[in-house]
Structure formats: C-alpha cells, structure tokens
Amino acid sequence: MEYDVRKAFPYSGYEQYEFEVPIGSVGDAYDRYLVRMEEMRQSTRILEQVVASLPGGPVNATIPRWSSPPSGRSSPAWRS
C-alpha cells in the first residue's frame, strides 16, 4: 500500500512538489536498501524543485554578533 504523510496530509508546502512514494515488493534487506536509495533520489528531486522555485537576487541576513564575556569572567553569569 502506497502511503506517505506528505501526500495524504500535505504540510510545509509538499503539495506544490512532484515526487513518488517508493515501495518495495519483497521486504528483505536488499529491498529495504533499494527503497532507502529511492527515498534519497526523491528527496533530491524535491530539493531541486524547491531551489528552482526560490526567487532570484541577493540574500541579506542580519546575523547577531556575539560579544565576549566581560573581562575577568571566564564563564557566563548563569553558570556562576
């Protein structure tokens, strides 16, 4: 039975992307390996679609700067 939560109850925009649900037919260790490999291929397929849908242009982010502890203190105040 083909079932994937991302298809049954889409969340985080999964409904926007095309992907297949890998299903094995035998159930042995090799079959599970093949399913995992196909899951990775499908994940890559989703990521390629996500990257293609990103808008172009520069990306600017404000990154907080961490300050050093006050002189004479070697650990944060909450540890003292």
Side-chain angles (χ1 to χ4, degrees):
M1 179 165 120
E2 185 176 310
Y3 180 81
D4 190 310
V5 173
R6 297 171 298 179
K7 291 229 182 212
F9 303 101
Y11 60 94
S12 298
Y14 277 108
E15 67 277 358
Q16 301 172 33
Y17 307 111
E18 295 290 325
F19 63 95
E20 302 298 322
V21 178
I23 300 293
S25 58
V26 182
D28 62 354
Y30 183 64
D31 196 37
R32 289 191 301 272
Y33 162 77
L34 293 176
V35 169
R36 297 300 172 256
M37 295 301 291
E38 186 57 29
E39 285 175 345
M40 287 188 277
R41 287 186 194 95
Q42 292 301 318
S43 293
T44 302
R45 183 177 173 195
I46 293 169
L47 287 172
E48 288 170 344
Q49 293 174 63
V50 169
V51 169
S53 70
L54 291 174
V59 177
N60 297 325
T62 303
I63 302 172
R65 300 213 182 264
W66 295 95
S67 61
S68 300
S71 143
R73 297 191 64 117
S74 59
S75 63
W78 56 269
R79 288 183 143 183
S80 328

